[in-house]
Amino acid sequence: MKQRIRFGSAPATAAGRIFDRILSNPLAWARTLLVRSIRWQITGWYTLLLAGMMVLFSAGTYVAVYRLLIENFDESLASQANLLVNTIGFENGELMITNDSLRIGRVNNEHLIRVYRADGTLIYNDNSIEQANALAASVPLALAGERQHFAIEGREGPMRVLTVPIFDGTRTAGALQLGLSLEDVGDTMRALLKALLILAPGVLLLASGGGFFLASRALGPINRITRAAQQISAENFSRRLDLRGPNDEIGRLAHTFDAMITRLQLAFEQQRRFTADASHELRSPITAIIGQIDVAVERTRDAESYQATLLSVREQAQRLARLTNDLLYLARSDAQPKPVLKEPIDLGQLLPAIVAQLEPLAEARNQTLQIQLPPTLLTHGNEDDLIRLFLNLLDNAIRYTPIGGSIAIETGTHTTNNQPTIHVAIRDTGPGIAPEHLPHIFERFFRVDRGRTRAQGGTGLGLSIAQTIAQAHGGQIQATSTLGQGSTFTVTLPCGSIQTLC
Ligand code: ADP
């Protein structure tokens, strides 16, 4: 079936439309291509550099070949001139030339032979070209004993001429001028130029194609990375590149990208869990308060019953206050990690003060609270934060240690990585923490026994806050525990003074 080709009408296919757009403004299209694609940029620069190098190389080759040809030409000119000079005889001190003697070998192109007497008179000339002045100019030099090469314009094109002295013994008896057409050299140079003009663009085209192919191959995985990144969203963190290949720049980039997505996924999931946990924790006391008030107002009750309800409501409200307080603290330190004030703090005084604050609580549970520490133990940081850290740890120790148990605080100084550090260990004789739970206890809202610990008044954020504070002070908290025997929480903080005695 014949197809009609319509000119000037809108192209039907997408490819046609793109082609049309390119043709309408090729410069703008090329600029867009260069700006948007590294592949084209690399190819463009590579081609430009290569073109520059090829121009230099071609020009260099051209000049070198020309000089070599002229050198050879001059040598052959000189040997032919010598042969001619040897055919010239002398009679009574005068030059003797026979027409047969001044004949040179096989010459297809134009040539000239001129012979001058010692007084500069031209006595032989086989070519009547009109460059008499240029030719005569070199004769005095030859008569003075010098040989001279030069170029003139002959009837059929440029010629190379050599003027040599003719010696009769030691006396300069005259000069001979031999000129040969450079037409053969010109032909060779024209052939070379043609070859270079055909070869250079061909090589350039091939090399650019190769460059484009290599750039495409090298940058191909980057497109995959871009596509994968476009597919990743808050709802879909499952996408990975899984690029199998050598451990080169692209391989490392893909690996780093995958590791980053894994970290992002983890952080996102943690955030999601935290939000869900926080709303749940906030809702439970509010639900309890509403429930208790509903029950209380259902019917008229005695004063004692109202008092009991109010006390319970107050307890829930206190819990809410603690929770919001803790959440606020974490939200603030997440949003803007607090720069730790470098005020010197003496744990030798701070720790006994905290212990004194908690002693009534321990006494109420019939627990012994022992503290062993030197009179001064210097660190630096923020006092309020450090009080909060040790209060959280000691409060946990008292709450989780059964009635009649004991809690001990021991301190010491060590040198870790050439840095003097302070250790404060809080040991209790509580129920201990199972090994499978131990790695999670510093996570927000993590509790070994949700119901029980909540009933004991914990928010599930105490250890997480303590760890945040320790880390902000350049330290950390480590927990060790044996089920049924007790737990030890060890806080490490940097020493307050450079000396070994902190
Ligand atoms: P909570 O407010 O629930 O105490 P924390 O963050 O302070 O929250 O502690 C997290 C969990 O670690 C607790 O719920 C508890 O299960 C466990 N835990 C903390 N300290 C102790 C301890 N001294 N002995 C036993 N378990 C502990």
Side-chain angles (χ1 to χ4, degrees):
M1 196 172 71
K2 270 190 184 173
Q3 268 200 340
R4 259 212 216 150
I5 301 168
R6 283 192 291 149
F7 295 97
S9 59
T13 61
R17 276 196 296 275
I18 291 169
F19 196 62
D20 240 24
R21 223 178 300 154
I22 293 170
L23 282 185
S24 67
N25 196 346
L27 263 179
W29 175 80
R31 201 167 47 232
T32 314
L33 203 68
L34 275 178
V35 169
R36 294 190 53 182
S37 162
I38 292 183
R39 180 185 331 195
W40 282 102
Q41 280 173 29
I42 291 176
T43 313
W45 279 112
Y46 172 66
T47 309
L48 214 68
L49 267 173
L50 200 69
M53 270 152 60
M54 289 201 69
V55 166
L56 280 180
F57 173 79
S58 304
T61 309
Y62 189 86
V63 170
V65 169
Y66 182 73
R67 287 174 72 153
L68 199 76
L69 286 179
I70 291 292
E71 233 169 70
N72 285 343
F73 195 88
D74 282 351
E75 272 172 26
S76 117
L77 203 62
S79 60
Q80 295 212 44
N82 286 344
L83 284 175
L84 288 180
V85 168
N86 289 339
T87 62
I88 297 173
F90 302 96
E91 204 176 86
N92 300 329
E94 280 299 315
L95 301 174
M96 272 288 298
I97 304 166
T98 55
N99 268 352
D100 280 355
S101 64
L102 288 183
R103 195 163 286 159
I104 54 171
R106 215 160 45 83
V107 179
N108 297 327
N109 310 316
E110 187 187 8
H111 72 279
L112 82 87
I113 300 170
R114 283 179 166 214
V115 180
Y116 300 85
R117 260 208 234 114
D119 60 2
T121 326
L122 179 68
I123 52 167
Y124 182 88
N125 180 11
D126 77 340
N127 189 330
S128 54
I129 55 172
E130 291 154 11
Q131 299 263 347
N133 286 345
L135 288 167
S138 68
V139 175
L141 274 173
L143 293 173
E146 272 186 42
R147 302 160 74 89
Q148 203 192 19
H149 283 103
F150 60 96
I152 58 160
E153 197 56 37
R155 273 196 308 273
E156 291 172 16
M159 291 180 94
R160 191 91 180 140
V161 182
L162 171 66
T163 316
V164 293
I166 305 167
F167 292 109
D168 176 14
T170 53
R171 184 179 68 89
T172 310
L176 177 129
Q177 226 161 26
L178 172 66
L180 290 175
S181 165
L182 280 170
E183 206 178 322
D184 288 348
V185 173
D187 284 349
T188 313
M189 291 317 292
R190 268 189 297 279
L192 177 67
L193 191 68
K194 212 153 108 189
L196 286 174
L197 285 178
I198 293 170
L199 269 177
V203 168
L204 198 66
L205 207 71
L206 270 176
S208 325
F212 185 76
F213 171 72
L214 286 178
S216 304
R217 253 182 77 106
L219 296 172
I222 299 225
N223 281 339
R224 278 181 61 191
I225 295 178
T226 312
R227 276 198 298 275
Q230 279 164 351
Q231 283 168 17
I232 290 165
S233 65
E235 279 69 45
N236 177 20
F237 268 115
S238 60
R239 188 83 168 81
R240 294 289 182 282
L241 292 174
D242 282 331
L243 204 75
R244 309 214 184 290
N247 182 25
D248 53 12
E249 286 86 343
I250 299 283
R252 283 197 295 278
L253 173 69
H255 183 74
T256 312
F257 181 84
D258 280 351
M260 183 191 76
I261 297 303
T262 306
R263 280 201 305 277
L264 264 179
Q265 184 175 19
L266 221 73
F268 218 82
E269 273 163 14
Q270 257 174 15
Q271 194 62 33
R272 206 180 303 204
R273 210 169 44 234
F274 176 68
T275 316
D277 285 349
S279 7
H280 177 74
E281 293 293 331
L282 286 168
R283 211 176 42 215
S284 346
I286 294 173
T287 315
I289 289 172
I290 295 172
Q292 280 162 343
I293 293 174
D294 280 352
V295 172
V297 296
E298 233 172 35
R299 58 181 168 81
T300 318
R301 295 172 189 272
D302 53 29
E304 260 176 35
S305 172
Y306 283 131
Q307 197 181 13
T309 304
L310 280 176
L311 281 174
S312 173
V313 166
R314 190 180 67 170
E315 200 181 302
Q316 296 296 339
Q318 278 170 341
R319 207 172 114 67
L320 258 182
R322 265 200 312 276
L323 194 63
T324 41
N325 200 13
D326 283 357
L327 278 174
L328 216 63
Y329 184 90
L330 280 173
R332 274 206 210 106
S333 60
D334 279 354
Q336 195 184 36
K338 210 191 305 176
V340 173
L341 286 174
K342 293 285 175 191
E343 65 187 55
I345 290 165
D346 184 2
L347 291 179
Q349 288 182 9
L350 190 80
L351 284 173
I354 298 171
V355 168
Q357 197 181 325
L358 289 170
E359 232 149 26
L361 212 66
E363 263 171 32
R365 294 171 64 80
N366 204 16
Q367 294 163 338
T368 52
L369 200 52
Q370 287 174 334
I371 183 160
Q372 242 181 34
L373 82 172
T376 51
L377 194 59
L378 280 180
T379 184
H380 43 229
N382 182 301
E383 192 173 45
D384 287 346
D385 283 348
L386 287 179
I387 291 175
R388 193 175 194 133
L389 184 164
F390 289 111
L391 263 179
N392 281 357
L393 293 182
L394 282 165
D395 181 63
N396 275 355
I398 294 170
R399 270 190 300 123
Y400 295 114
T401 302
I403 293 174
S406 64
I407 294 129
I409 303 160
E410 289 155 20
T411 60
T413 54
H414 294 268
T415 303
T416 331
N417 298 334
N418 280 340
Q419 285 278 316
T421 48
I422 297 172
H423 289 228
V424 180
I426 298 164
R427 290 183 209 289
D428 64 47
T429 55
I433 303 162
E436 69 268 23
H437 293 138
L438 211 54
H440 302 290
I441 56 170
F442 293 102
E443 287 170 15
R444 295 173 183 186
F445 292 117
F446 177 84
R447 293 166 172 127
V448 174
D449 182 345
R450 244 167 204 266
R452 225 184 96 201
T453 46
R454 199 182 288 147
Q456 283 174 318
T459 59
L461 296 173
L463 285 181
S464 171
I465 289 177
Q467 184 69 287
T468 307
I469 295 172
Q471 282 168 354
H473 280 73
Q476 58 166 332
I477 308 176
Q478 273 172 331
T480 51
S481 187
T482 314
L483 258 186
Q485 288 185 19
S487 318
T488 304
F489 287 84
T490 309
V491 184
T492 313
L493 289 171
C495 233
S497 75
I498 313 297
Q499 286 84 40
T500 39
L501 271 176
C502 295

